[in-house]
Amino acid sequence: MNVDHEISLLVEEIQRLGSKNADGQTCVTFGVLFNDDRCANIFEAMVGTLRAAKRKKVVTFQGELLLQGVHDNVEIVLLQN
């Protein structure tokens, strides 16, 4: 899969699993996204897809690298719908 396609799939999954924050942006925690069975089947390298999406300003989150367990409570905010 190409990166743009994986990012579009990531956006769909964030919309499916996330909820609106006070600013009206869709957000989901890394733990919810990482532990979802459907996401696990779609993304071979979810962390890489998240980093690419952050570089393209599609999502934002604190830090550069998210790790399972350590960063489960980090919010991923969708900047584009």
Side-chain angles (χ1 to χ4, degrees):
M1 279 195 231
N2 68 32
V3 175
D4 290 330
H5 179 66
E6 285 216 0
I7 290 173
S8 70
L9 291 175
L10 179 66
V11 168
E12 288 176 23
E13 294 306 310
I14 291 171
Q15 289 171 336
R16 179 177 69 86
L17 295 168
S19 57
K20 298 281 185 187
N21 64 13
D23 297 328
Q25 296 172 306
T26 304
C27 58
V28 66
T29 62
F30 178 66
V32 168
L33 199 61
F34 192 90
N35 292 315
D36 182 72
D37 288 338
R38 186 166 151 186
C39 287
N41 290 330
I42 294 172
F43 303 106
E44 289 182 31
M46 183 183 300
V47 173
T49 304
L50 281 166
R51 289 184 72 194
K54 185 175 182 179
R55 276 196 305 273
K56 292 180 179 260
K57 302 199 183 328
V58 175
V59 300
T60 189
F61 53 86
Q62 276 194 318
E64 285 297 312
L65 182 66
L66 298 177
L67 302 173
Q68 181 188 16
V70 179
H71 298 111
D72 282 355
N73 295 323
V74 173
E75 277 203 340
I76 299 165
V77 180
L78 188 59
L79 299 176
Q80 302 175 6
N81 288 326

